[in-house]
Amino acid sequence: MKFSSQIKPISYLKAHAAEIVRELGEKREPLVITQNGEAKVVIQDIESYEQTQETMALLKILALGTRQIEEGKVQPAKDVIKRLRMRAGG
């Protein structure tokens, strides 16, 4: 995704807030806001934000699982199932 067309100064945000909110919902592309010529914030529609958060959570879970495998903190599923069945009396 190219952000070059989605960069606007803060004065544009102030003058076109309602239009920006509508376009963010339609296009689902983030908008970079600059202040004094420097990128300061990124705004995006709520659905995109929620999707990003869910993706980040899944990536964290994946990274944790990978680290546990590397550290040898995992056991074969058959061993775990056998132990659970023994606890349950079966």
Side-chain angles (χ1 to χ4, degrees):
M1 172 186 303
K2 294 179 93 175
F3 288 109
S4 58
S5 65
Q6 293 298 106
I7 300 173
K8 302 290 182 192
I10 197 164
S11 58
Y12 182 86
L13 173 65
K14 291 176 185 177
H16 301 91
E19 175 187 342
I20 290 169
V21 169
R22 188 183 74 253
E23 287 182 7
L24 286 172
E26 292 171 2
K27 293 182 180 179
R28 301 205 57 196
E29 293 179 356
L31 180 64
V32 177
I33 301 297
T34 63
Q35 188 175 35
N36 299 323
E38 292 184 30
K40 291 292 183 177
V41 297
V42 175
I43 58 174
Q44 65 184 139
D45 65 285
I46 191 67
E47 289 181 28
S48 296
Y49 175 78
E50 289 172 343
Q51 185 177 11
T52 299
Q53 294 304 304
E54 289 174 13
T55 300
M56 292 298 291
L58 291 171
L59 288 171
K60 287 178 182 179
I61 291 168
L62 181 60
L64 176 61
T66 300
R67 186 170 58 233
Q68 288 175 336
I69 290 169
E70 290 170 353
E71 294 173 355
K73 295 181 178 178
V74 295
Q75 300 174 12
K78 63 180 178 143
D79 294 349
V80 174
I81 292 169
K82 182 179 177 181
R83 215 172 38 250
L84 290 172
R85 285 186 177 153
M86 289 175 64
R87 283 188 197 167

